[in-house]
Amino acid sequence: MDLVKRPRRLRTDERIRSLVREQRLTREQLVYPLFVREGNGAPTPVPSMPGICQYPLEHLTSALSEVVACAVPAVLFFGIPLHKDAMGTRAYAEDGIVQQALRVAKDRFPELYLIGDVCLCEYTDHGHCGLVSDGQVLNDESVELLARAAVAQAESGADMVAPSDMMDGRVGAIRRALDQAGFEQTPIMSYAAKFASAFYGPFRQAANSAPQFGDRLSYQLDPANGDEAMRDTALDVAEGADVILVKPAMAYGDIIYRTKQSYGLPVAAYNVSGEYAMVKAAAAAGWIDERRVVLEALLGMRRAGADILVTYHALDASCWLQEP
Ligand code: PBG
């Protein structure tokens, strides 16, 4: 053999491998989703998501202390109300649980970047992300309420709002409502490419938000459609989205890549509950090395083009990344 090109020269040992490494994960890119619930008592563990709990307000401070101790810079709040109704009232009430959590967090942990999830499915008794009439999920009426929820969160201290409902026109409506209320500096991280995914199963247990009838196919994207995702994203960008979120992450690397290439905006990848549950289950069975699998999956999202990584593994990953 007479080879001139020998790719293995750059893989000889860690010194050269490190010099030519293209991607690096850092804790600064991590966002930790956190479930806050109305009511009292101990944190409620989510069975399908080992290590994840729903926190009542009285335990929020200790949960956030852990986030800060792990040096994770940002949290994304999801709320679970005690009472749900047809209008999802607790999503936009001044004393809604996410609004209360934001006030506590802003007051006690000003160094944390606070993101509020804007959606109705956790708050509606039918479990859909918008209002329902005659078995249909209404668009424009829902958008009005979502805009109210976004303003309520901004007023409570949200640094950023993240609409995850997938109604048409909500980014523009939220932008106008925020601006009118004096929050023109509050960015919107839009779930622009959110697919109707089976990977959300454990989240719906965590947030008690499974639809009581039907499914979410009339508003979330068909997992078969990449071009449609790009068209939907173009609308959100035109309406003023500051950050584009792709969800789920692991089976959607092409969407992350295309979004980054097409728009050049910051892209967030949401490493969702089902992806987390699979890794945790396989790790608990001793079938995979949890640390290596998690860091490899997150690195893959970075390689695809994600700037921000929203993940339930954030605390573990941050600690692992700081170990020598
Ligand atoms: C709904 C919402 C969902 C998730 C985030 N926001 C679930 C759904 O659309 O049913 C899923 C997150 C996850 O699976 O981790 N507003």
Side-chain angles (χ1 to χ4, degrees):
M1 278 218 289
D2 184 17
L3 290 179
V4 176
K5 293 284 182 191
R6 288 186 181 273
R8 292 184 57 195
R9 286 186 198 116
L10 297 182
R11 301 176 202 148
T12 311
D13 64 29
E14 180 54 22
R15 294 169 306 157
I16 181 61
R17 287 194 295 266
S18 174
L19 277 173
V20 300
R21 190 159 293 139
E22 296 171 36
Q23 294 289 341
R24 283 191 164 74
L25 276 178
T26 69
R27 58 164 197 82
E28 285 93 343
Q29 299 150 341
L30 299 170
V31 176
Y32 187 56
L34 209 98
F35 298 98
V36 284
R37 68 166 172 85
E38 277 178 0
N40 303 314
T44 316
V46 179
S48 54
M49 300 177 71
I52 301 297
C53 291
Q54 304 172 337
Y55 295 95
L57 218 47
E58 59 189 294
H59 289 279
L60 180 61
T61 305
S62 69
L64 291 174
S65 307
E66 217 190 316
V67 176
V68 169
C70 292
V72 169
V75 290
L76 169 60
F77 284 119
F78 291 94
I80 302 127
L82 272 179
H83 301 292
K84 300 171 187 256
D85 58 32
M87 302 282 290
T89 311
R90 302 300 294 163
Y92 40 90
E94 200 183 315
D95 64 345
I97 182 64
V98 164
Q99 285 75 291
Q100 292 193 54
L102 285 165
R103 278 185 226 116
V104 170
K106 181 97 304 182
D107 181 51
R108 305 291 292 274
F109 302 93
E111 69 274 43
L112 271 179
Y113 194 78
L114 307 178
I115 310 172
D117 175 75
V118 175
C119 196
L120 297 185
C121 64
E122 298 99 314
Y123 307 93
T124 50
D125 49 15
H126 46 69
H128 278 288
C129 303
L131 300 180
V132 168
S133 174
D134 291 334
Q136 302 294 316
V137 177
L138 305 176
N139 194 86
D140 303 9
E141 296 80 351
S142 306
V143 165
E144 253 173 69
L145 300 181
L146 293 161
R148 278 174 65 180
V151 171
Q153 292 182 0
E155 283 169 342
S156 307
D159 294 300
M160 178 188 262
V161 294
S164 67
D165 52 284
M166 290 296 282
M167 298 299 124
D168 292 336
R170 89 272 204 224
V171 172
I174 289 173
R175 184 70 274 154
R176 282 189 295 279
L178 286 174
D179 290 356
Q180 245 167 35
F183 296 105
E184 50 286 277
Q185 290 297 333
T186 304
I188 301 173
M189 176 163 75
S190 160
Y191 289 61
K194 178 175 179 184
F195 290 85
S197 172
F199 286 100
Y200 305 152
F203 174 95
R204 293 180 188 171
Q205 184 179 58
N208 307 334
S209 66
Q212 297 305 298
F213 68 90
D215 51 42
R216 302 208 198 289
L217 289 166
S218 79
Y219 40 107
Q220 298 180 351
L221 292 161
D222 183 335
N225 295 354
D227 291 343
E228 188 185 9
M230 291 306 110
R231 294 198 299 274
D232 217 314
T233 302
L235 294 175
D236 285 15
V237 172
E239 289 172 33
D242 299 280
V243 178
I244 297 298
L245 187 141
V246 176
K247 171 180 187 175
M250 275 157 61
Y252 295 83
D254 59 323
I255 307 295
I256 297 173
Y257 181 80
R258 289 176 67 177
T259 304
K260 187 66 187 176
Q261 297 294 314
S262 303
Y263 303 103
L265 281 177
V267 174
Y270 198 136
N271 178 212
V272 299
S273 58
E275 299 171 331
Y276 177 84
M278 290 193 303
V279 169
K280 290 303 254 191
W287 294 337
I288 58 169
D289 178 332
E290 179 175 354
R291 172 183 168 145
R292 290 188 54 204
V293 164
V294 168
L295 295 180
E296 182 178 329
L298 296 176
L299 193 61
M301 295 166 208
R302 292 276 303 150
R303 204 181 58 248
D307 303 285
I308 299 171
L309 306 168
V310 182
T311 177
Y312 304 98
H313 297 289
L315 303 195
D316 289 334
S318 181
C319 292
W320 293 329
L321 289 170
Q322 286 170 89
E323 286 167 12

